[in-house]
Amino acid sequence: MGLNVIMMGPPGAGKGTQAGRFARERGLLKISTGDILREAAKGPQTPAARAAKARMDRGELVDDDTMIAIVRDRLLRPDARQGFVLDGFPRTVAQAEALDEIMKERANGPLIVIDVEVPELELARRLASRRICSSCGANADPFGPSITCRKCGQPLVQRADDIQDVVLERLKVYARATTPVLEFYRQRPTFRIVNGAQAPEQVAHELDGMIDDAAAAAVRR
Ligand code: AMP
């Protein structure tokens, strides 16, 4: 049975970092919709790619149909059979409903939902100082003094949507569009909350325990 995890939480909560680590350690497919869109923005400038990039640069959400098609395609591929960790999806209730349908189609294990909670002031501080690699897009080590990427050695830059005005818009969009998704999942027995304001190692430790516990609880039901 697959281990299927979605990592919810506002921008800057550290969900991408934790999703990447957990997926690596457990041999699961990590799917970050933000990474997929940033990669697509570097490719051929189709009208759809241009429209998506413009929305991202303003801190707005890309439309549900596009996002659902991207995620559906990835989740139904054979390399997602062992399970997946989703980072950045679902961000709207319509996306969450579509994901339930995709899960029925996959018929491969429960959906474990983790909400990484971090106070808003701390998020704004983290996003202002976040740097990513200009070449491979990896997040820089938040505790390292490095000015180059630890993976490929290329220079680090600020993400286009991490400038202050856009950050505020993204936090607003999260509160408006994505908080209802938490309500959509909250009553499920596989829903867990982790305190993301702690040190990354502590978050990792608690998260691993929660995911294993939720998976075991789902099997017992
Ligand atoms: P992220 O890297 O997850 O912070 O995503 C960066 C940007 O990509 C977001 O601000 C949105 O513009 C877009 N995006 C990523 N995932 C989604 C999604 N599931 N639905 C709509 N837009 C998304």
Side-chain angles (χ1 to χ4, degrees):
M1 197 162 62
L3 185 56
N4 311 307
V5 181
I6 52 184
M7 212 67 90
M8 303 283 302
K15 56 188 191 305
T17 304
Q18 295 294 344
R21 176 199 60 82
F22 187 81
R24 237 183 351 266
E25 286 176 9
R26 303 291 179 102
L28 306 172
L29 181 70
K30 181 205 168 191
I31 301 166
S32 159
T33 46
D35 285 351
I36 292 170
L37 292 171
R38 278 184 289 279
E39 200 49 44
K42 293 186 200 158
Q45 289 304 296
T46 62
R50 259 203 306 274
K53 178 159 188 327
R55 296 193 73 87
M56 289 175 77
D57 286 348
R58 288 195 298 265
E60 297 166 4
L61 295 182
V62 174
D63 67 281
D64 285 337
D65 288 350
T66 301
M67 298 314 302
I68 291 165
I70 289 174
V71 170
R72 187 168 189 285
D73 171 66
R74 302 272 163 143
L75 291 187
L76 296 178
R77 286 187 200 173
D79 59 353
R81 284 309 293 171
Q82 299 299 318
F84 59 81
V85 186
L86 256 177
D87 159 32
F89 186 98
R91 265 177 155 98
T92 64
V93 172
Q95 292 179 12
E97 287 169 349
L99 181 58
D100 276 349
E101 291 305 313
I102 299 169
M103 292 304 290
K104 274 190 214 146
E105 216 174 312
R106 284 177 83 245
N108 190 25
L111 189 62
I112 294 163
V113 184
I114 302 290
D115 178 24
V116 185
E117 281 192 352
V118 176
E120 204 160 299
L121 261 181
E122 169 68 7
L123 293 174
R125 192 192 64 75
R126 287 186 187 180
L127 290 166
S129 59
R130 173 161 71 180
R131 296 291 179 273
I132 63 166
C133 176
S134 54
S135 175
C136 75
N139 266 339
D141 176 358
F143 302 102
S146 178
I147 52 164
T148 53
C149 177
R150 66 197 139 116
K151 287 191 180 152
C152 70
Q154 294 302 302
L156 300 174
V157 292
Q158 187 167 40
R159 243 172 73 167
D161 58 354
D162 277 347
I163 56 172
Q164 198 183 15
D165 289 358
V166 182
V167 162
L168 294 178
E169 179 61 21
R170 287 163 65 210
L171 292 174
K172 257 193 260 166
V173 168
Y174 183 81
R176 190 175 61 234
T178 310
T179 309
V181 181
L182 296 176
E183 299 318 312
F184 181 85
Y185 288 129
R186 199 176 294 280
Q187 299 310 323
R188 296 192 182 183
T190 50
F191 180 82
R192 297 286 186 283
I193 298 174
V194 67
N195 172 7
Q198 309 175 91
E201 301 74 25
Q202 183 63 21
V203 178
H205 174 71
E206 292 186 13
L207 201 70
D208 290 5
M210 280 175 190
I211 293 174
D212 289 335
D213 173 70
V219 170
R220 282 197 300 273
R221 284 175 69 86

